[in-house]
């Protein structure tokens, strides 16, 4: 059955015209004449049997249907372009599409990744930030690094490391003190992480403490955001030290209380079962698990 897909040139002209809300600017961007763009838009509207633009004395405006179609088409054209560039740029190489939690990727994985790529010169790795689990079947990802309990349906989970977060803050926030008790910390503004909503409650509970407001405070999604907020004196954050090594070594952040707690969650490399026999993926898994073991033992 023939697909109901408009000509690519018509979609490109529509996307540009919708973005600029101008046939003239779209023509300039695409190196076409304005009449050529107008014909493409007219042909697309005829194909869809839907009006995409309203013609006014001041130019053109998207209709409601046009706005909806524009949002959808724009993202899909971007995806087609990315896929095309990926194929063009990876001739003779194997590519791993890896989803990963962002701060872990930036602070721990990327400084070590050169070692894997040097040992496997015909492999390239593309990293995309993902903070929560997803369905592999709905994506192009070959694997994911995530923080959780390792229970991800239809996958193999390989343990990497625990987090062991500790309280950190700006030294100015607690001056002239350099250390605080857990009770004193409970009276400070507590910075919360969106993906670890009970972290402070677990930390206090590990010290047999109950704090009524342990879920309150500014919420930020990433550890990098928490670190920046803490550096600027917004409060005390719970962050694994290995993710903020630079801030701790420079003194921009200090640890007023070194206590941490055990969690059931950890960083894992997650591989969908359907890709578990991929030689390239197995090589990356073996390397990453060994790097994590060496780090834990150091």
């Amino acid at each position: 059955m023939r697909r109901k897909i408009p000509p690519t040139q018509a979609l490109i002209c529509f996307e540009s015209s919708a973005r600029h809300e101008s046939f003239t600017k779209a023509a300039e961007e695409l190196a076409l004449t304005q009449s050529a763009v107008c014909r493409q838009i007219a042909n697309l509207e005829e194909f869809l049997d839907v009006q995409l633009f309203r013609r006014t004395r001041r130019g053109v405006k998207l209709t409601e249907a046009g706005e909806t179609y524009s949002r959808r088409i724009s993202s899909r054209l971007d995806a087609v372009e990315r896929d095309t560039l990926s194929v063009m740029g990876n001739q003779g190489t194997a590519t791993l599409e890896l989803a990963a939690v962002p701060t872990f990727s930036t602070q721990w994985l990327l400084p070590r990744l050169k070692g894997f790529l040097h040992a496997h010169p015909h492999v390239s790795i593309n990293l995309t930030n993902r903070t929560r689990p997803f369905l592999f079947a709905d994506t192009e990802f070959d694997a994911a690094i995530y923080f959780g309990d390792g229970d991800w349906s239809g996958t193999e989970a390989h343990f990497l490391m625990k987090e062991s977060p500790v309280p950190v803050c700006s030294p100015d926030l607690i001056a002239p003190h350099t250390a605080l008790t857990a009770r004193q910390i409970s009276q400070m503004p507590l910075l919360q992480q969106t993906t670890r909503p009970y972290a402070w409650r677990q930390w206090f509970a590990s010290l047999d403490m109950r704090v009524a407001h342990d879920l309150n405070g500014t919420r930020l999604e990433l550890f990098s955001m928490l670190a920046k907020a803490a550096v600027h004196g917004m409060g005390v954050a719970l962050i694994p030290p290995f993710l903020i090594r630079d801030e701790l070594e420079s003194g921009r952040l200090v640890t007023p209380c070194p206590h941490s707690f055990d969690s059931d969650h950890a960083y894992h490399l997650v591989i969908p079962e359907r890709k578990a026999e991929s030689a390239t993926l197995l090589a990356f898994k073996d390397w990453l698990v060994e790097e994590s073991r060496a780090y834990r033992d150091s």
Side-chain angles (χ1 to χ4, degrees):
M1 182 178 177
R2 184 177 178 181
R3 292 180 181 272
K4 194 73 170 177
I5 300 176
T8 305
Q9 184 66 8
L11 294 176
I12 291 173
C13 288
F14 168 67
E15 187 277 333
S16 181
S17 299
R19 182 161 28 86
H20 294 295
E21 282 202 316
S22 168
F23 294 160
T24 301
K25 291 182 179 178
E28 293 174 355
E29 180 177 271
L30 301 173
L32 298 172
T33 64
Q34 184 185 33
S35 60
V37 171
C38 290
R39 284 195 301 272
Q40 292 290 344
I41 299 301
N43 291 339
L44 181 60
E45 290 180 323
E46 182 180 357
F47 181 92
L48 299 172
D49 194 22
V50 172
Q51 184 179 2
L52 301 171
F53 291 93
R54 289 183 290 104
R55 280 69 173 174
T56 70
R57 286 181 296 177
R58 295 186 178 182
V60 294
K61 294 290 184 183
L62 284 165
T63 63
E64 184 175 348
E67 288 183 358
T68 301
Y69 196 53
S70 172
R71 287 193 298 270
R72 294 173 177 173
I73 289 301
S74 179
S75 63
R76 285 164 174 78
L77 286 176
D78 287 344
V80 169
E81 183 177 33
R82 286 194 301 271
D83 291 343
T84 301
L85 292 174
S86 177
V87 170
M88 293 171 64
N90 290 297
Q91 296 294 331
T93 66
T95 301
L96 288 181
E97 296 290 342
L98 185 64
V101 285
T103 310
F104 180 88
S105 301
T106 303
Q107 299 299 325
W108 190 88
L109 178 61
L110 284 177
R112 294 167 170 79
L113 196 55
K114 181 180 178 181
F116 174 80
L117 297 176
H118 179 75
H120 301 83
H122 300 299
V123 176
S124 62
I125 295 179
N126 297 330
L127 283 172
T128 301
N129 288 340
R130 286 293 181 94
T131 57
R132 292 176 173 84
F134 52 85
L135 294 176
F136 277 98
D138 295 340
T139 74
E140 297 298 320
F141 293 126
D142 298 303
I145 296 175
Y146 95 117
F147 181 78
D149 58 9
D151 184 12
W152 192 328
S153 179
T155 69
E156 296 179 357
H158 302 275
F159 173 81
L160 299 178
M161 66 184 69
K162 296 277 192 176
E163 275 192 334
S164 302
V166 296
V168 296
C169 64
S170 165
D172 294 336
L173 184 68
I174 61 173
H177 303 289
T178 58
L180 297 176
T181 65
R183 184 61 62 187
Q184 288 173 314
I185 289 176
S186 72
Q187 303 305 311
M188 305 290 290
L190 301 178
L191 297 173
Q192 308 282 351
Q193 191 187 25
T194 307
T195 55
R196 318 282 197 279
Y198 298 102
W200 276 114
R201 176 161 295 181
Q202 292 172 309
W203 189 81
F204 287 121
S206 69
L207 294 166
D208 295 323
M209 291 177 59
R210 295 186 63 182
V211 175
H213 59 277
D214 57 7
L215 300 181
N216 298 345
T218 300
R219 293 192 175 276
L220 301 164
E221 185 174 13
L222 307 178
F223 278 127
S224 56
M225 299 169 71
L226 279 178
K228 185 67 69 174
V231 165
H232 287 287
M234 292 176 58
V236 185
L238 273 175
I239 305 178
F242 74 90
L243 296 181
I244 48 171
R245 189 178 302 277
D246 290 344
E247 289 86 347
L248 291 171
E249 290 179 352
S250 68
R252 286 176 291 162
L253 289 177
V254 296
T255 304
C257 178
H259 176 74
S260 186
F261 65 95
D262 290 329
S263 170
D264 293 333
H265 290 186
Y267 290 100
H268 296 81
L269 173 67
V270 180
I271 300 174
E273 291 174 350
R274 59 188 172 86
K275 296 193 175 186
E277 299 304 317
S278 164
T280 303
L281 200 51
L282 285 172
F284 178 73
K285 183 263 292 183
D286 291 343
W287 171 82
L288 185 59
V289 169
E290 176 57 27
E291 283 289 317
S292 302
R293 185 201 61 75
Y295 175 79
R296 296 195 308 269
D297 294 343
S298 63

